[in-house]
Amino acid sequence: MTDHRLVLGIDAGGTSTRAVVTRIDGELLGRGEAGGGNPASHGQVAAGAQLAAALAQALSAVDPAAVVAGVAGIAGGRAFAPAVLEEVWQGAGLGCVPRFVGDALIAFVAGTPEPSGTLLLSGTGAIACRVRDGSVEAVSDGLGWLLGDEGSGFWLGREAAKAVVHTLAQPDSRDPGLLGKLVTAELLGSPQPFRDLNDQAIALVERAQSAPQSLTRLAPVVNRAAEAGDPTALEIVREGARHLVATAARVHRAEGPIVLAGSVLTSEGILRSAVRELLAAQGDGPVRTAGSGAGAAAWMAAGEVVNPAEAVMHASLHAKFTGGNPPLSASVPVTPV
């Protein structure tokens, strides 16, 4: 007999907010996506609005009151006043109050059903966590783009922009190569009429100072230039990999797998390959790649309501919950996102 109880999973970060609604068995019934839901970055009102928008999409084809459990992983979630979240949950008409957990734990669970192990995340920021028995026990880095996050998307972009600007601004400035062309095109648009290379450097500096978070967009650019053999990009990628592995080493223990998460480490490319090679060389144990964070949150929510006799079956469904974005059930008309 099909269990028609519904669970909700939410994964909200600085760039996007994702929500999924599934049955207890992992059958996907609805999903939604909206903008960044980190209240520390965007403010409570704006982040709450994005959270509500993602929820509305995910719940559009189901009865919200049938949701019996939910887990929400929200980056910077402690900055939310309880009243703001309560308004979001009530506005969605949920039959439960979702349990709030840190986004780092969601990222770890997205890669493994094991209760213990290590998370190494590189997206906009970078952090490593040691997880034991389903709780974060120790943290390394995650100190933000001004003071830390070494090996993150922002760090990669900043290092690339810095290298290009320093090359262009020298008295005997020269063409900064492929990396310089890609960085300039991404930050300033192409083509641009520059009087000379120093003028180009000044334009890049002004752009970086006026919109520092735009440097995060350069992470794929660095990877692309490295794959094409640009020597500066290759060195930045290698240094980023060394930083990330060092961050993980500060918290990693032999217990459990290492889960790679975040857009930088879940995307194919030289940096992810370099990180995996360094981890393998150190003999740090199995390495996994995170899947759907929202799906992981839904899996955690389902685990809260299954009975002990169903625990083994629930663990075996982890891949179904976290396997990305499978097709929606053909029998359920869900509004496309």
Side-chain angles (χ1 to χ4, degrees):
M1 177 180 294
T2 301
D3 190 332
H4 293 284
R5 290 177 296 172
L6 307 183
V7 293
L8 169 71
I10 299 170
D11 180 24
T15 302
S16 65
T17 299
R18 295 181 172 89
V20 298
V21 176
T22 76
R23 288 203 300 256
I24 295 294
D25 64 359
E27 186 70 22
L28 181 64
L29 301 181
R31 60 171 172 252
E33 183 170 355
N38 183 337
S41 301
H42 303 289
Q44 294 190 60
V45 174
Q50 298 302 326
L51 188 58
L55 273 173
Q57 293 177 24
L59 295 164
S60 62
V62 301
D63 177 8
V67 176
V68 296
V71 168
I74 305 175
R78 296 185 185 280
F80 265 130
V84 175
L85 283 178
E86 183 178 351
E87 183 177 349
V88 172
W89 307 143
Q90 289 182 348
L94 295 174
C96 68
V97 176
R99 179 169 66 94
F100 168 75
V101 301
D103 58 314
L105 182 59
I106 292 293
F108 175 77
V109 176
T112 179
E114 297 295 325
S116 302
T118 300
L119 168 73
L120 177 57
L121 182 150
S122 177
T124 301
I127 192 171
C129 301
R130 181 168 68 248
V131 176
R132 179 167 294 173
D133 295 330
S135 298
V136 174
E137 184 179 68
V139 175
S140 176
D141 204 348
L143 300 174
W145 59 274
L146 275 176
L147 303 178
D149 288 351
E150 295 181 327
S152 68
F154 179 87
W155 183 93
L156 291 166
R158 185 189 61 198
E159 293 301 302
K162 184 194 303 184
V164 170
V165 165
H166 280 227
T167 298
L168 293 171
Q170 296 301 318
D172 56 345
S173 57
R174 55 187 174 79
D175 188 328
L178 176 62
L179 181 63
K181 291 182 175 66
L182 293 176
V183 166
T184 300
E186 182 64 38
L187 291 185
L188 302 178
S190 180
Q192 286 284 328
F194 300 113
R195 290 174 299 177
D196 52 36
L197 294 180
N198 189 64
D199 187 37
Q200 182 178 344
I202 292 172
L204 287 170
V205 169
E206 291 174 345
R207 173 59 176 164
Q209 290 179 337
S210 65
Q213 289 295 333
S214 66
L215 297 180
T216 302
R217 301 204 316 263
L218 297 178
V221 165
V222 177
N223 201 61
R224 199 183 325 149
E227 290 178 338
D230 183 279
T232 303
L234 280 167
E235 183 49 39
I236 291 171
V237 166
R238 292 182 184 123
E239 184 66 16
R242 289 192 288 268
H243 279 307
L244 289 170
V245 172
T247 296
R250 287 192 282 271
V251 295
H252 181 60
R253 300 294 181 268
E255 184 180 15
I258 295 177
V259 173
L260 304 183
S263 58
V264 173
L265 289 177
T266 57
S267 301
E268 293 287 349
I270 289 180
L271 190 141
R272 186 173 80 166
S273 296
V275 166
R276 293 183 71 96
E277 288 172 6
L278 288 172
L279 292 173
Q282 295 177 177
D284 286 329
V287 178
R288 307 283 185 255
T289 300
S292 167
W299 182 79
M300 293 173 69
E304 296 176 356
V305 295
V306 297
N307 62 53
E310 299 171 313
V312 174
M313 176 62 72
H314 174 66
S316 71
L317 291 171
H318 179 269
K320 184 175 181 180
F321 277 88
T322 62
N325 290 307
L328 296 172
S329 171
S331 61
V332 182
V334 177
T335 302
V337 177

